[in-house]
Amino acid sequence: MSRYSRIIGTGSHLPPNRVSNAQLAAQLARDGVETSDTWIVERTGIRFRHFADPATSSVDLGEQAARHALDAAGLTPADVDLIIVATSTPDMIFPSNAALIQGRLGVPGGAAFDVQAVCAGFVYALAVADQFVRGGMARHALVIGTEVFSRILDFKDRTTCVLFGDGAGAVVLAASEEPGLLASALHADGRKAGILCTPGRVSGGEVAGHPYLKMDGQAVFKQAVHVLEDVAREVLTKSGRTPQDIDWMVPHQANIRIMLHTAKKLGLPAEKVVQTVAEHGNTSAASIPLALDVAVRAGSIQRGDTLLLEAVGGGLTWGAALLDY
Ligand code: UT7
């Protein structure tokens, strides 16, 4: 009998401070940084983002998302034997956000670690958790994407600070005889690390380097439209499916133009693309599980639907997963 991993619950959490483009533009204007609602909407599709207050961390957001996912799955923290957190904005250098969230949930014993693949982090974490569950190393895995990207934004750099937001999403993966995750594919090209990075570190008690996000947006855009179609076709081929089998595409929510371009290349109408970028902005590793949870709770995604998840991020990293929900 084959063993698969299957999503049995989803959850998400957003910090309450919802900031519109107009509010952000007014705030930036006070520091002489010029932007507009029109530019942001036309170039990205973003209308709002949520920002965490200074006292709220990515562990706080991730814990809430995890609890909602466990409730949806009908499980308690005691059922979880693996926690993987995808984040680039962890609370500490160590221990991992996964260990900290496990501590909050109060159930020691299972494995807990973070995955760092920036905006592709959730797809990476899901693929790793799937290997654990399929291989018999875990029965119930919590896979969480959680970010406070506002902490690494340079609010004097209009080319990046209008794009990102904070939030968290989570899924519970359970061992199952029915699929489940059908195929995943992960890739990286470290030669392109410089086009999207936060090149700071802590050294001798000081922050060294540049602790803010830097991005060559056009270079990332060009890579994204190229690799996302390829990796989507890769998981379709691996699982013996075609684009026509996809009920919903749940892409990383960075830019509506990239999302719809990839859908078009695959022959998918915009109506089959889960779109939350307008409400959340780019929440990096949190964006896919957040979008998934919104679509599940809205009743758009139904049991039995085939989902394509795909993302590209700093590294450069990219990946996709195809699954029967
Ligand atoms: O999540 C990880 C993956 N990340 C992504 O997928 C992001 C990929 N990149 C993008 O989504 C797009 O490249 C951006 C949204 C970042 C930028 O859009 P673009 O269409 O590539 O714009 P651009 O960089 O070519 O800039 C066009 C103009 C420039 O002015 P000039 O040189 O034409 O006079 C910029 O200076 O827009 C200007 N600009 C702005 N204007 C108003 C850049 N940022 C802003 C801004 N407000 N916030």
Side-chain angles (χ1 to χ4, degrees):
M1 188 65 78
S2 298
R3 182 172 162 119
Y4 294 94
S5 73
R6 189 180 184 96
I7 294 177
I8 60 162
T10 66
S12 61
H13 184 71
L14 289 161
N17 182 22
R18 180 174 181 259
V19 179
S20 70
N21 289 343
Q23 287 171 303
L24 184 60
Q27 181 195 315
L28 297 178
R30 289 197 279 276
D31 291 325
V33 177
E34 198 186 320
T35 189
S36 66
D37 175 55
T38 307
W39 189 95
I40 302 169
V41 172
E42 280 178 3
R43 300 291 173 133
T44 71
I46 297 166
R47 294 177 185 275
F48 298 91
R49 76 285 295 139
H50 291 244
F51 285 145
D53 65 58
T56 300
S57 74
S58 58
V59 165
D60 295 326
L61 301 178
E63 179 195 353
Q64 293 308 318
R67 290 190 186 279
H68 293 315
L70 285 169
D71 285 347
L75 297 182
T76 71
D79 298 312
V80 174
D81 52 7
L82 171 66
I83 301 178
I84 305 181
V85 175
T87 187
S88 300
T89 49
D91 280 26
M92 301 182 188
I93 292 174
F94 68 81
S96 65
N97 266 17
L100 295 171
I101 290 173
Q102 194 214 49
R104 295 270 188 97
L105 296 177
V107 189
F113 58 92
D114 286 4
V115 162
Q116 221 283 35
V118 203
C119 300
F122 184 77
V123 175
Y124 265 66
L126 192 70
V128 173
D130 175 57
Q131 295 297 316
F132 271 68
V133 172
R134 268 178 203 253
M137 291 245 320
R139 270 179 55 77
H140 294 122
L142 254 177
V143 186
I144 304 165
T146 184
E147 302 281 14
V148 282
F149 255 53
S150 60
R151 305 283 153 77
I152 54 167
L153 294 178
D154 176 358
F155 285 94
K156 295 213 160 37
D157 175 9
R158 69 176 182 172
T159 69
T160 54
C161 73
V162 301
L163 305 175
F164 295 89
D166 303 336
V171 303
V172 179
L173 270 191
S176 161
E177 288 174 5
E178 303 288 320
L181 223 113
L182 301 166
S184 53
L186 306 176
H187 298 284
D189 182 352
R191 294 170 304 177
K192 300 191 173 70
I195 65 175
L196 176 49
C197 55
T198 302
R201 63 203 168 278
V202 173
S203 176
E206 306 280 335
V207 174
H210 183 78
Y212 294 113
L213 183 148
K214 286 169 46 167
M215 178 167 70
D216 177 345
Q218 286 192 5
V220 176
F221 195 103
K222 279 185 197 139
Q223 287 296 318
V225 293
H226 172 63
V227 300
L228 289 174
E229 183 194 355
D230 286 356
V231 78
R233 292 197 186 279
E234 187 180 346
V235 291
L236 286 165
T237 303
K238 273 187 177 182
S239 45
R241 303 276 180 107
T242 69
Q244 288 70 45
D245 295 320
I246 298 169
D247 296 298
W248 288 100
M249 180 172 147
V250 191
H252 170 48
Q253 309 280 320
N255 187 320
I256 192 75
R257 291 187 289 149
I258 296 173
M259 292 155 55
L260 295 182
H261 175 91
T262 307
K264 195 172 168 194
K265 288 277 190 154
L266 296 171
L268 296 176
E271 297 72 48
K272 287 194 170 187
V273 181
V274 175
Q275 302 175 31
T276 53
V277 67
E279 281 293 318
H280 303 160
N282 181 346
T283 57
S284 192
S287 90
I288 288 179
L290 253 168
L292 179 63
D293 187 52
V294 167
V296 165
R297 284 174 196 265
S300 313
I301 291 179
Q302 300 275 336
R303 282 280 161 213
D305 283 352
T306 298
L307 312 184
L308 170 70
L309 279 44
E310 45 88 331
V312 60
L316 207 72
T317 53
W318 65 99
L322 193 77
L323 59 96
D324 286 339
Y325 177 71

